[in-house]
Amino acid sequence: MTGTKQRILEVAERLFAERGFSGTSLRTIIGEAGVNLAAVHYHFHSKDALLEAVILRRLEPVNRERLAMLEACEHAARGGPPPVEDILRAFIEPTVHLVRDPQRRGSIFARLMGRLHAEAASAFAEIAKKHFGEIGRRFKEALERALPEVPQSEIFWRMHFAIGAMAQTLRGSPELEALSGGQCRASNPEDAVPRLIAFLAAGFQAPVSIPHAQEKVS
Amino acid sequence: MTGTKQRILEVAERLFAERGFSGTSLRTIIGEAGVNLAAVHYHFHSKDALLEAVILRRLEPVNRERLAMLEACEHAARGGPPPVEDILRAFIEPTVHLVRDPQRRGSIFARLMGRLHAEAASAFAEIAKKHFGEIGRRFKEALERALPEVPQSEIFWRMHFAIGAMAQTLRGSPELEALSGGQCRASNPEDAVPRLIAFLAAGFQAPVSIPHAQEKVS
DNA sequence: GTCTATATGGGGATAGAC
DNA sequence: GTCTATCCCCATATAGAC
């Protein structure tokens, strides 16, 4: 039966999300998945490759949907730049409302993404660089067109801040939820995403006060 | 000689920041510190306790300076609420321009804080909850006064986003720096902090569009 | 306070039978 | 494809001499 490979992927995804990559051992994974240790090395070749498989399984559809949403809102804008909110939504929503996933597995992967943004796992760093390059450029261009008054390098900074806020939201923050006394359950994407988009859109549109050397300002 | 304890603390801080907690072994630490393995267990009792010592050594002065800066800007506002920018600066700058540290050790700890915000290390979760509670409440109150038009629960959300953006900035992001072709070196606090504050201040002042149940709106 | 030596367990990976 | 058995190394932690 080849449910084995699937079960490994799903348990690994959950445990990596909960405990991090280096905090999760293959033996824990196989224990919860009820499979044999050798099966992991048979289906994937190493722990690093398992992580890569876990990520790619979700990231590729997410990135496809991101581009589709971006193109849709650009088309809707009929030549002009779409509103910043729409561009941000195209980037953020596919990560949360993951594909057409009946269970809540999407949010588990979202937590994994948020967590891996912070972890050292070199395997992830390469994957991120490889798969983020194209997406990043595409959204950067869209944001530049939508924000002609913001210099190019400042767009990078603000994308940086935005991704941090998004990653924090994806992974959740126990101490802040505790502080709010349950008023803000960041783990609930339906509550979080519209607020996040409003916050980030305002940030992107903030006036630029820091001098930027040798740049086209529009 | 008790340089041993110091050297362990400093090497551990750097390695935890670079590779994460579970990604760093005591053996790597003692190798770089040039001390004996048993010395770690003698001076600290366990790896968890070592992490706690590493964090507390920096976090307590940081939180003191945060409160001092907050009180200073509140005093300067003479009864009225201080500008949001000043409140944010009081929270962010002490993490970066750490105490009066001659070397660049401050930024190493900053990276550690950014990274640990994401890692599972239960030891850190407890420390964060304990030491963030007071600071969090204090800054939440200040932000509420400065933003009377923003409902209370929305303040929590925006603090959440802000801390995510701050943590990302503290820890740096190789893929974004690569994308920018070196235009935005997030690891350089002097460049990052003023931009981060401007971005976050705009986000905090964004108009509130999502309905908030049963709350004082001012 | 600092060392050597060692206890004890867990880690990723592989060979080879079935 | 799946299993058992095992290699080999690394992990945290401790005991006890100096």
Side-chain angles (χ1 to χ4, degrees), chain A residues 154 157-158 160-161 210, chain B residues 92-93 96-97 165-166 168-172 177 183-200:
Chain A
E154 190 70 24
W157 282 100
R158 294 181 178 185
H160 186 89
F161 303 144
I210 292 113
Chain B
I92 293 169
E93 275 200 341
V96 172
H97 302 150
M166 186 184 83
Q168 174 88 357
T169 304
L170 291 177
R171 96 176 71 93
E177 297 186 24
Q183 285 186 63
C184 110
R185 302 192 318 107
S187 41
N188 188 357
E190 278 73 32
D191 293 347
V193 169
R195 293 181 165 89
L196 176 59
I197 290 173
F199 182 90
L200 296 180

Side-chain angles (χ1 to χ4, degrees), chain A residues 26-75:
Chain A
L26 292 182
R27 294 182 139 87
T28 309
I29 294 171
I30 61 153
E32 298 209 11
V35 302
N36 191 276
L37 172 60
V40 178
H41 289 98
Y42 175 79
H43 288 289
F44 314 90
H45 298 296
S46 65
K47 194 189 177 188
D48 278 16
L50 170 60
L51 175 66
E52 188 166 340
V54 165
I55 293 175
L56 285 191
R57 180 172 69 138
R58 306 271 188 214
L59 191 56
E60 291 192 324
V62 164
N63 280 348
R64 262 199 304 277
E65 200 187 336
R66 282 172 167 167
L67 288 180
M69 285 184 72
L70 181 58
E71 279 163 21
C73 76
E74 281 177 337
H75 183 261

Side-chain angles (χ1 to χ4, degrees), chain A residues 18 115 172-176 178, chain B residues 21 48 51-52 55 59 113 115-133:
Chain A
E18 285 170 5
R115 166 177 288 274
S173 165
E175 66 264 26
L176 261 177
Chain B
F21 179 69
D48 278 15
L51 175 66
E52 188 165 341
I55 293 174
L59 191 57
M113 293 299 295
R115 165 175 291 274
L116 287 181
H117 261 284
E119 209 173 339
S122 59
F124 176 75
E126 286 167 27
I127 298 172
K129 207 170 292 183
K130 199 171 67 179
H131 284 258
F132 183 74

Side-chain angles (χ1 to χ4, degrees), chain B residues 64-86:
Chain B
R64 263 199 304 278
E65 201 188 334
R66 281 172 166 167
L67 288 180
M69 283 184 72
L70 181 58
E71 280 163 21
C73 75
E74 281 176 337
H75 184 262
R78 306 181 158 278
V84 179
E85 282 85 354
D86 290 356

Side-chain angles (χ1 to χ4, degrees), chain B residues 25-27 37 41 46-47:
Chain B
S25 73
L26 293 181
R27 295 179 131 86
L37 173 60
H41 289 97
S46 65
K47 196 191 176 186

Side-chain angles (χ1 to χ4, degrees), chain A residues 4-12 29 35 39-40 43-44 50:
Chain A
T4 299
K5 194 170 178 179
Q6 287 296 327
R7 243 172 320 134
I8 295 172
L9 279 173
E10 272 154 34
V11 173
I29 294 171
V35 302
V40 178
H43 288 289
F44 314 90
L50 170 60

